[in-house]
Amino acid sequence: QIDTDETGIMVRTDTLGSLEALLSIMREKGIPIRSADVGDISKRDVTDASIIARDNPEWGAILAFNVKIKDEAEEIAHNEGVEIFSDPIIYRMIDNFIEWNNELQQLANANSMADLPRPTKIEHIPEYVFKRNKPMVIGIRVLAGELKPRDVLLTENNIRVGTIQQIKYNNEAIKVAKKDQEVSIAVRGPTFGRQIKKGQQLFVDLRAKHAYKLITDFVSELTEPERAVIAEMEILKKRAGLKFWPFTE
């Protein structure tokens, strides 16, 4: 096993030769590597990556070259917002990661209201359960903010329960669902009835730095329901042990 940067992505390959080749390309491109090893992706690998994903989502990723992803590990990855990149062609896998990483880097450094994620809360519509898992597909109502693909859903106990894969309105895929819209969502990770219950309300996880930016610079541009969501999230984060949220991660 190779441990390098304190913050970075995880790499798993089938052979030492492919690992060395992948690491060489990544170093040329300036991609930080937190851990690199030979072997299949385990639950522990994803759990380690999820710790990074919570504070730095743009580095909460695993590159998996010619290795298997254990079922339990894949479920945790979807729940926690850990992105796993796998492709038989190394350069294409790295390019896919870089494209994804660049999008999240832009979001991480957002300074304008237009670029910042809005505080978001949704509610399951009890009569709409289309598919229970892999992915779970249910109908929801947006109570506040804006819901987008790749958003990570959060319970009132600060437990991540899945990643939005797709949003549909009138059978058409859309990029954003806004307040009061009723849409169907495909969610990777949870099973309906286990992690997500009938009629449950859920939050979209919000980075502390974004919440702090919103309440210090743009509070007048937030709607009343959005301000209420931040207040609720502050309570649930502190109840989970994050005493200084949103002033620090």
Side-chain angles (χ1 to χ4, degrees):
Q1 179 174 333
I2 301 170
D3 294 304
T4 53
D5 303 295
E6 184 175 341
T7 296
I9 67 171
M10 185 175 290
V11 179
R12 295 290 182 266
T13 68
D14 57 340
T15 67
L16 184 59
S18 57
L19 181 64
E20 291 173 345
L22 186 52
L23 295 182
S24 176
I25 297 169
M26 292 174 67
R27 285 171 178 143
E28 285 179 7
K29 294 181 178 291
I31 301 171
I33 303 156
R34 184 168 182 265
S35 172
D37 203 356
V38 173
D40 294 337
I41 296 175
S42 67
K43 176 181 175 181
R44 180 175 179 178
D45 292 334
V46 176
T47 300
D48 287 348
S50 72
I51 295 170
I52 297 294
R54 282 183 174 262
D55 293 341
N56 299 282
E58 62 273 19
W59 302 118
I62 302 174
L63 297 193
F65 183 71
N66 283 346
V67 294
K68 295 178 181 178
I69 306 165
K70 297 176 182 177
D71 288 344
E72 189 177 19
E74 188 169 26
E75 181 179 338
I76 294 171
H78 294 329
N79 287 345
E80 293 286 345
V82 173
E83 199 75 18
I84 299 176
F85 294 87
S86 181
D87 197 287
I89 300 174
I90 286 180
Y91 281 100
R92 187 164 61 196
M93 179 174 64
I94 292 175
D95 287 344
N96 289 339
F97 164 74
I98 289 173
E99 181 181 357
W100 171 86
N101 178 264
N102 286 342
E103 289 181 15
L104 267 67
Q105 289 266 36
Q106 290 174 8
L107 180 59
N109 298 319
N111 283 309
S112 69
M113 187 64 201
D115 295 330
L116 286 165
R118 304 191 79 95
T120 301
K121 187 177 183 181
I122 65 173
E123 180 179 56
H124 170 240
I125 303 172
E127 56 266 35
Y128 295 124
V129 180
F130 305 109
K131 191 167 179 282
R132 290 189 174 272
N133 60 12
K134 296 184 179 181
M136 181 190 75
V137 182
I138 60 174
I140 62 97
R141 180 181 299 108
V142 181
L143 301 178
E146 296 178 345
L147 186 68
K148 298 178 180 179
R150 293 185 181 167
D151 281 346
V152 177
L153 297 179
L154 191 75
T155 71
E156 63 180 8
N157 295 319
N158 197 41
I159 297 172
R160 290 182 163 197
V161 289
T163 304
I164 301 292
Q165 180 177 336
Q166 188 180 59
I167 305 170
K168 283 190 174 183
Y169 179 71
N170 288 338
N171 290 321
E172 295 288 334
I174 58 175
K175 293 182 178 180
V176 58
K178 299 186 178 183
K179 185 180 182 301
D180 295 329
Q181 266 192 294
E182 295 184 355
V183 298
S184 68
I185 57 172
V187 187
R188 298 184 301 172
T191 295
F192 186 82
R194 287 176 56 198
Q195 293 91 344
I196 295 178
K197 309 293 185 181
K198 182 178 180 179
Q200 186 172 356
Q201 294 185 352
L202 298 160
F203 300 89
V204 169
D205 205 1
L206 185 64
R207 292 181 72 166
K209 65 185 292 184
H210 291 153
Y212 180 76
K213 191 78 175 173
L214 288 169
I215 62 178
T216 54
D217 294 347
F218 301 107
V219 68
S220 63
E221 298 183 45
L222 295 174
T223 66
E224 187 60 39
E226 289 170 344
R227 288 196 289 270
V229 168
I230 287 187
E232 288 182 86
M233 291 192 72
E234 184 174 359
I235 292 171
L236 74 85
K237 293 287 186 182
K238 289 179 177 176
R239 193 167 57 218
L242 302 174
K243 297 181 180 180
F244 302 105
W245 196 95
F247 302 103
T248 177
E249 300 279 5

